Amino acid sequence: MSATCIFCKILRGELPVTTVYEDEFSLAFMDLYPMRPGHVLVIPKEHHVSIQQLSSQMRFHLFELGAAVAKAQTESELQCKSHNFFINDGPEANQHVPHVHLHVLPRTGADLHMALFSFVSRYNNVFGVAKKRRQLAQIAKSIEGHMPKQIMSPLME
Ligand code: DGP
């Protein structure tokens, strides 16, 4: 754990978070600055900056969790057809939070302009954090309802 990392603070319960899945090794939660509605982040509980520092079992686990999140997004009220999976691995690759995270971004088609607009404007607090958190909670409930109880991976054996 890192004292200053935002995601470690979330893991320690020092910052609020809207979770869709948790197990001993990982957490999946709503991105507070979503590029599209339903944008989820998947993180390991261990603090590492780069995927190179993770065990191969952890990488496997995180991608299995990402796939389960995407399936749940598709089955949720979002009714998205496709997804972007991406990891910004290091500061020169636009990583803003130095804790490995897999973005799982639901896409509905004809939404590229909105995704790009959200990417550049999402840190502007236009709607207010309280309203935003209520919206995130509603979408999260819908996604969470379609998540498996537990991800199957070598870490779980
Ligand atoms: P990246 O730019 O790849 O490092 O993505 C970091 C993501 O983390 C970005 O999409 C916004 C999100 N984020 C930043 N701070 C918080 C926070 O306090 N809570 C949540 N849920 N997400 C955050």
Side-chain angles (χ1 to χ4, degrees):
M1 286 270 186
S2 149
T4 53
C5 167
I6 290 173
F7 291 168
C8 286
K9 287 185 182 181
I10 284 176
L11 289 166
R12 285 196 297 269
E14 295 169 9
L15 286 177
V17 68
T18 309
T19 300
V20 296
Y21 173 88
E22 180 168 15
D23 63 33
E24 193 184 338
F25 305 102
S26 61
L27 187 73
F29 58 97
M30 305 308 291
D31 191 311
L32 191 54
Y33 306 97
M35 287 176 64
R36 298 298 301 133
H39 185 167
V40 169
L41 301 173
V42 168
I43 65 168
K45 288 191 170 177
E46 290 172 5
H47 178 82
H48 292 296
V49 176
S50 169
I51 62 163
Q52 305 300 337
Q53 295 159 333
L54 302 178
S55 66
S56 56
Q57 289 98 326
M58 181 61 86
R59 287 193 288 261
F60 188 112
H61 185 87
L62 294 179
F63 206 81
E64 281 299 294
L65 176 50
V69 167
K71 185 167 182 288
Q73 287 167 333
T74 298
E75 292 166 354
S76 75
E77 68 182 37
L78 294 168
Q79 296 184 330
C80 56
K81 299 179 181 125
S82 302
H83 301 83
N84 295 111
F85 295 86
F86 61 96
I87 294 174
N88 298 325
D89 201 46
E92 289 78 9
N94 298 324
Q95 183 187 44
H96 297 101
V97 180
H99 184 129
V100 172
H101 49 285
L102 171 64
H103 294 258
V104 186
L105 185 65
R107 300 292 303 277
T108 52
D111 59 350
L112 180 60
H113 288 102
M114 282 309 294
L116 293 175
F117 175 73
S118 302
F119 180 72
V120 293
S121 66
R122 64 202 167 129
Y123 287 107
N124 298 335
N125 186 13
V126 190
F127 301 110
V129 170
K131 185 174 177 192
K132 188 191 266 191
R133 287 204 186 274
R134 280 198 299 276
Q135 290 168 341
L136 290 183
Q138 189 197 324
I139 299 173
K141 208 170 162 193
S142 176
I143 296 172
E144 191 181 15
H146 295 276
M147 286 297 292
K149 290 223 176 321
Q150 198 173 67
I151 297 302
M152 300 309 293
S153 84
L155 283 181
M156 293 305 207
E157 285 166 6

